PDB file of all heavy atoms in Angstrom:
ATOM      1  N   SER W 889      97.100 100.383 126.190  1.00 45.00           N
ATOM      2  CA  SER W 889      97.152 101.962 126.227  1.00 45.00           C
ATOM      3  C   SER W 889      96.219 102.601 125.268  1.00 45.00           C
ATOM      4  O   SER W 889      95.844 102.027 124.185  1.00 45.00           O
ATOM      5  CB  SER W 889      98.568 102.326 125.991  1.00 45.00           C
ATOM      6  OG  SER W 889      99.051 101.962 124.732  1.00 45.00           O
ATOM      7  N   GLY W 890      95.945 104.004 125.487  1.00 45.00           N
ATOM      8  CA  GLY W 890      95.189 104.618 124.460  1.00 45.00           C
ATOM      9  C   GLY W 890      93.728 104.624 124.783  1.00 45.00           C
ATOM     10  O   GLY W 890      93.121 103.461 125.044  1.00 45.00           O
ATOM     11  N   GLU W 891      93.022 105.750 124.852  1.00 47.00           N
ATOM     12  CA  GLU W 891      91.581 105.776 125.012  1.00 47.00           C
ATOM     13  C   GLU W 891      91.143 107.132 124.435  1.00 47.00           C
ATOM     14  O   GLU W 891      91.842 108.037 124.252  1.00 47.00           O
ATOM     15  CB  GLU W 891      91.321 105.605 126.489  1.00 47.00           C
ATOM     16  CG  GLU W 891      91.838 106.634 127.418  1.00 47.00           C
ATOM     17  CD  GLU W 891      91.495 106.413 128.828  1.00 47.00           C
ATOM     18  OE1 GLU W 891      91.147 105.321 129.190  1.00 47.00           O
ATOM     19  OE2 GLU W 891      91.649 107.477 129.591  1.00 47.00           O
ATOM     20  N   GLY W 892      89.738 107.247 124.223  1.00 45.00           N
ATOM     21  CA  GLY W 892      89.176 108.564 123.823  1.00 45.00           C
ATOM     22  C   GLY W 892      89.116 108.635 122.242  1.00 45.00           C
ATOM     23  O   GLY W 892      88.903 107.649 121.571  1.00 45.00           O
ATOM     24  N   ASN W 893      89.445 109.849 121.798  1.00 49.00           N
ATOM     25  CA  ASN W 893      89.196 110.194 120.425  1.00 49.00           C
ATOM     26  C   ASN W 893      90.543 109.955 119.504  1.00 49.00           C
ATOM     27  O   ASN W 893      90.564 110.217 118.386  1.00 49.00           O
ATOM     28  CB  ASN W 893      88.679 111.506 120.209  1.00 49.00           C
ATOM     29  CG  ASN W 893      87.229 111.656 120.680  1.00 49.00           C
ATOM     30  OD1 ASN W 893      86.503 110.644 120.756  1.00 49.00           O
ATOM     31  ND2 ASN W 893      86.838 112.800 121.111  1.00 49.00           N
ATOM     32  N   SER W 894      91.591 109.668 120.220  1.00 59.00           N
ATOM     33  CA  SER W 894      92.998 109.604 119.504  1.00 59.00           C
ATOM     34  C   SER W 894      93.295 108.285 118.817  1.00 59.00           C
ATOM     35  O   SER W 894      94.327 107.912 118.606  1.00 59.00           O
ATOM     36  CB  SER W 894      94.127 109.945 120.454  1.00 59.00           C
ATOM     37  OG  SER W 894      93.860 111.331 120.904  1.00 59.00           O
ATOM     38  N   MET W 895      92.143 107.423 118.704  1.00 80.00           N
ATOM     39  CA  MET W 895      92.391 106.171 117.931  1.00 80.00           C
ATOM     40  C   MET W 895      90.954 105.730 117.490  1.00 80.00           C
ATOM     41  O   MET W 895      90.026 106.517 117.729  1.00 80.00           O
ATOM     42  CB  MET W 895      92.925 105.134 119.004  1.00 80.00           C
ATOM     43  CG  MET W 895      91.907 104.727 120.110  1.00 80.00           C
ATOM     44  SD  MET W 895      91.641 105.864 121.276  1.00 80.00           S
ATOM     45  CE  MET W 895      93.161 106.289 121.777  1.00 80.00           C
ATOM     46  N   ASP W 896      90.866 104.703 116.813  1.00 88.00           N
ATOM     47  CA  ASP W 896      89.657 104.211 116.321  1.00 88.00           C
ATOM     48  C   ASP W 896      88.521 104.112 117.453  1.00 88.00           C
ATOM     49  O   ASP W 896      88.967 103.541 118.484  1.00 88.00           O
ATOM     50  CB  ASP W 896      89.739 102.857 115.533  1.00 88.00           C
ATOM     51  CG  ASP W 896      90.727 102.962 114.453  1.00 88.00           C
ATOM     52  OD1 ASP W 896      91.189 104.036 114.119  1.00 88.00           O
ATOM     53  OD2 ASP W 896      91.152 101.868 114.014  1.00 88.00           O
ATOM     54  N   HIS W 897      87.506 104.676 117.323  1.00 89.00           N
ATOM     55  CA  HIS W 897      86.516 104.597 118.373  1.00 89.00           C
ATOM     56  C   HIS W 897      85.110 104.624 117.867  1.00 89.00           C
ATOM     57  O   HIS W 897      84.796 104.894 116.645  1.00 89.00           O
ATOM     58  CB  HIS W 897      86.713 105.825 119.321  1.00 89.00           C
ATOM     59  CG  HIS W 897      86.621 107.000 118.605  1.00 89.00           C
ATOM     60  ND1 HIS W 897      87.681 107.718 117.857  1.00 89.00           N
ATOM     61  CD2 HIS W 897      85.577 108.051 118.369  1.00 89.00           C
ATOM     62  CE1 HIS W 897      87.304 108.836 117.277  1.00 89.00           C
ATOM     63  NE2 HIS W 897      86.114 109.066 117.730  1.00 89.00           N
ATOM     64  N   LEU W 898      84.107 104.271 118.744  1.00 94.00           N
ATOM     65  CA  LEU W 898      82.723 104.314 118.383  1.00 94.00           C
ATOM     66  C   LEU W 898      82.017 105.220 119.298  1.00 94.00           C
ATOM     67  O   LEU W 898      82.138 105.060 120.539  1.00 94.00           O
ATOM     68  CB  LEU W 898      82.089 102.925 118.542  1.00 94.00           C
ATOM     69  CG  LEU W 898      80.606 102.696 118.260  1.00 94.00           C
ATOM     70  CD1 LEU W 898      80.364 102.628 116.786  1.00 94.00           C
ATOM     71  CD2 LEU W 898      80.109 101.448 118.968  1.00 94.00           C
ATOM     72  N   LEU W 899      81.148 106.145 118.726  1.00 95.00           N
ATOM     73  CA  LEU W 899      80.411 107.116 119.514  1.00 95.00           C
ATOM     74  C   LEU W 899      78.945 106.628 119.549  1.00 95.00           C
ATOM     75  O   LEU W 899      78.301 106.249 118.449  1.00 95.00           O
ATOM     76  CB  LEU W 899      80.457 108.468 118.926  1.00 95.00           C
ATOM     77  CG  LEU W 899      81.913 109.124 118.873  1.00 95.00           C
ATOM     78  CD1 LEU W 899      81.838 110.476 118.266  1.00 95.00           C
ATOM     79  CD2 LEU W 899      82.531 109.197 120.298  1.00 95.00           C
ATOM     80  N   VAL W 900      78.365 106.762 120.577  1.00 97.00           N
ATOM     81  CA  VAL W 900      76.801 106.506 120.691  1.00 97.00           C
ATOM     82  C   VAL W 900      76.292 108.045 120.870  1.00 97.00           C
ATOM     83  O   VAL W 900      76.604 108.645 121.868  1.00 97.00           O
ATOM     84  CB  VAL W 900      76.409 105.652 121.975  1.00 97.00           C
ATOM     85  CG1 VAL W 900      75.020 105.362 121.874  1.00 97.00           C
ATOM     86  CG2 VAL W 900      77.183 104.187 121.825  1.00 97.00           C
ATOM     87  N   GLN W 901      75.416 108.355 120.017  1.00 97.00           N
ATOM     88  CA  GLN W 901      74.984 109.731 120.001  1.00 97.00           C
ATOM     89  C   GLN W 901      73.302 109.821 119.867  1.00 97.00           C
ATOM     90  O   GLN W 901      72.745 109.056 119.333  1.00 97.00           O
ATOM     91  CB  GLN W 901      75.652 110.461 118.909  1.00 97.00           C
ATOM     92  CG  GLN W 901      77.140 110.569 118.848  1.00 97.00           C
ATOM     93  CD  GLN W 901      77.657 111.237 117.781  1.00 97.00           C
ATOM     94  OE1 GLN W 901      77.340 110.952 116.547  1.00 97.00           O
ATOM     95  NE2 GLN W 901      78.540 112.143 118.026  1.00 97.00           N
ATOM     96  N   ILE W 902      72.847 110.868 120.606  1.00 97.00           N
ATOM     97  CA  ILE W 902      71.314 111.157 120.563  1.00 97.00           C
ATOM     98  C   ILE W 902      71.272 112.629 119.780  1.00 97.00           C
ATOM     99  O   ILE W 902      72.050 113.472 120.031  1.00 97.00           O
ATOM    100  CB  ILE W 902      70.958 111.417 121.949  1.00 97.00           C
ATOM    101  CG1 ILE W 902      71.150 110.114 122.736  1.00 97.00           C
ATOM    102  CG2 ILE W 902      69.361 111.647 121.909  1.00 97.00           C
ATOM    103  CD1 ILE W 902      70.645 108.893 122.225  1.00 97.00           C
ATOM    104  N   GLU W 903      70.382 112.608 118.856  1.00 97.00           N
ATOM    105  CA  GLU W 903      70.151 113.903 118.124  1.00 97.00           C
ATOM    106  C   GLU W 903      69.212 114.784 118.990  1.00 97.00           C
ATOM    107  O   GLU W 903      68.208 114.434 119.323  1.00 97.00           O
ATOM    108  CB  GLU W 903      69.523 113.658 116.812  1.00 97.00           C
ATOM    109  CG  GLU W 903      69.484 114.947 115.931  1.00 97.00           C
ATOM    110  CD  GLU W 903      68.851 114.697 114.538  1.00 97.00           C
ATOM    111  OE1 GLU W 903      68.213 113.644 114.282  1.00 97.00           O
ATOM    112  OE2 GLU W 903      69.120 115.529 113.637  1.00 97.00           O
ATOM    113  N   MET W 904      69.691 116.004 119.189  1.00 94.00           N
ATOM    114  CA  MET W 904      68.906 116.976 120.013  1.00 94.00           C
ATOM    115  C   MET W 904      68.016 117.790 119.160  1.00 94.00           C
ATOM    116  O   MET W 904      68.088 117.678 118.025  1.00 94.00           O
ATOM    117  CB  MET W 904      69.932 117.799 120.808  1.00 94.00           C
ATOM    118  CG  MET W 904      70.913 117.018 121.680  1.00 94.00           C
ATOM    119  SD  MET W 904      70.077 115.868 122.810  1.00 94.00           S
ATOM    120  CE  MET W 904      69.349 116.904 123.973  1.00 94.00           C
ATOM    121  N   ASP W 905      67.218 118.637 119.844  1.00 89.00           N
ATOM    122  CA  ASP W 905      66.045 119.340 119.186  1.00 89.00           C
ATOM    123  C   ASP W 905      66.780 120.355 118.179  1.00 89.00           C
ATOM    124  O   ASP W 905      66.178 120.684 117.118  1.00 89.00           O
ATOM    125  CB  ASP W 905      65.222 120.226 120.002  1.00 89.00           C
ATOM    126  CG  ASP W 905      64.273 119.299 120.800  1.00 89.00           C
ATOM    127  OD1 ASP W 905      64.088 118.159 120.263  1.00 89.00           O
ATOM    128  OD2 ASP W 905      63.740 119.683 121.745  1.00 89.00           O
ATOM    129  N   ASN W 906      67.998 120.846 118.415  1.00 89.00           N
ATOM    130  CA  ASN W 906      68.724 121.789 117.544  1.00 89.00           C
ATOM    131  C   ASN W 906      69.407 121.111 116.335  1.00 89.00           C
ATOM    132  O   ASN W 906      70.114 121.840 115.592  1.00 89.00           O
ATOM    133  CB  ASN W 906      69.704 122.551 118.353  1.00 89.00           C
ATOM    134  CG  ASN W 906      70.724 121.852 119.112  1.00 89.00           C
ATOM    135  OD1 ASN W 906      70.917 120.632 118.796  1.00 89.00           O
ATOM    136  ND2 ASN W 906      71.513 122.478 119.900  1.00 89.00           N
TER     137      ASN W 906
END
Side-chain angles (χ1 to χ4, degrees):
S889 60
E891 60 183 18
N893 292 335
S894 297
M895 72 289 308
D896 302 346
H897 57 280
L898 177 79
L899 303 178
V900 184
Q901 300 180 313
I902 307 296
E903 187 176 21
M904 307 305 292
D905 287 342
N906 59 10

